[in-house]
Amino acid sequence: MPRRKTQSDEHVLEAAHRLIHRHGPEALTFERLSKTCGLSGSTLVQRFKNKATLRQRTLLQAWDRLDEKTTKLADATPRTPAGAIELLVALSRDYGGIESYAEGLLVLREDLRDPVLRARGASWKVSLCNILDSCFASVVNTPLDIGLLMASHWQGSLLWWSFDPKVEVATYVEDSLGRFVAAIATARKP
């Protein structure tokens, strides 16, 4: 009797995440995932019940991975304004080229539609902003909520890059954040 192939939920959810990013959220079906991960459609339905649960668990795992990556980068980054730039540039490298970034926006739409995923995003925002705030802790007269201001500028720079992606995203983001930090430093001098 042939042995049944078993895959961890983590492996299956990674395969689901790859499907979503390559082909958009609507491409995530039990049939398509079955072909990707090697488990039968019925096994996947037993594990995940329905497509909405599968999508939510996939994206929650993606948030977990982003939390882990953010923490790891923060642990390796100096707590300076330059360190804040370094952290955000490192996070930007995952966006890839314009097609990958555009697909990521479709995934973000799914996060915004689901209250559980929206809460996960809000939690990451707090964590990221606290890390960025700590990078400016020794800088005199920084604006209130500098972490949120910098994170907002970062997200804006990603969007503006996407309209005219002539350079690598990390290069664009690094330049934009460097100018942001310089403007903050200049504006706050006594």
Side-chain angles (χ1 to χ4, degrees):
M1 184 163 150
R3 195 161 179 222
R4 267 185 42 199
K5 191 175 190 179
T6 59
Q7 302 275 347
S8 69
D9 283 359
E10 183 178 355
H11 174 81
V12 173
L13 295 172
E14 285 173 12
H17 193 250
R18 284 191 303 275
L19 269 176
I20 288 172
H21 266 278
R22 285 187 189 133
H23 305 288
E26 298 307 315
L28 182 60
T29 64
F30 286 114
E31 179 183 352
R32 204 165 194 179
L33 182 57
S34 172
K35 292 175 184 173
T36 302
C37 73
L39 295 176
S40 72
S42 60
T43 298
L44 293 170
V45 170
Q46 286 175 342
R47 282 192 190 182
F48 300 102
K49 307 299 180 225
N50 56 51
K51 185 177 172 181
T53 301
L54 173 62
R55 182 175 43 242
Q56 185 184 69
R57 288 200 44 207
T58 298
L59 296 177
L60 283 171
Q61 180 173 291
W63 279 111
D64 290 344
R65 294 271 164 84
L66 182 58
D67 277 338
E68 291 167 11
K69 181 172 187 162
T70 303
T71 299
K72 184 178 177 183
L73 288 168
D75 289 346
T77 301
R79 292 298 195 257
T80 62
I85 293 171
E86 183 182 321
L87 171 72
L88 294 174
V89 168
L91 288 172
S92 301
R93 286 190 175 94
D94 287 345
Y95 288 109
I98 186 60
E99 290 302 319
S100 176
Y101 181 76
E103 289 300 325
L105 291 176
L106 290 175
V107 176
L108 181 61
R109 180 187 70 176
E110 298 304 311
D111 289 323
L112 297 175
R113 289 177 167 177
D114 182 325
V116 172
L117 296 169
R118 230 179 13 251
R120 243 354 226 100
S123 173
W124 180 70
K125 177 193 99 173
V126 169
S127 175
L128 178 63
C129 290
N130 286 337
I131 293 165
L132 296 173
D133 282 340
S134 74
C135 290
F136 287 85
S138 65
V139 178
V140 179
N141 294 324
T142 56
L144 184 64
D145 293 327
I146 185 65
L148 178 59
L149 292 171
M150 189 167 193
S152 298
H153 183 87
W154 170 54
Q155 287 297 297
S157 71
L158 290 167
L159 181 63
W160 293 124
W161 164 81
S162 71
F163 287 113
D164 192 20
K166 291 180 182 170
V167 299
E168 180 190 18
V169 65
T171 301
Y172 186 91
V173 167
E174 185 171 22
D175 177 64
S176 183
L177 290 173
R179 287 183 285 119
F180 173 81
V181 168
I184 293 294
T186 303
R188 301 310 261 167
K189 282 186 178 175

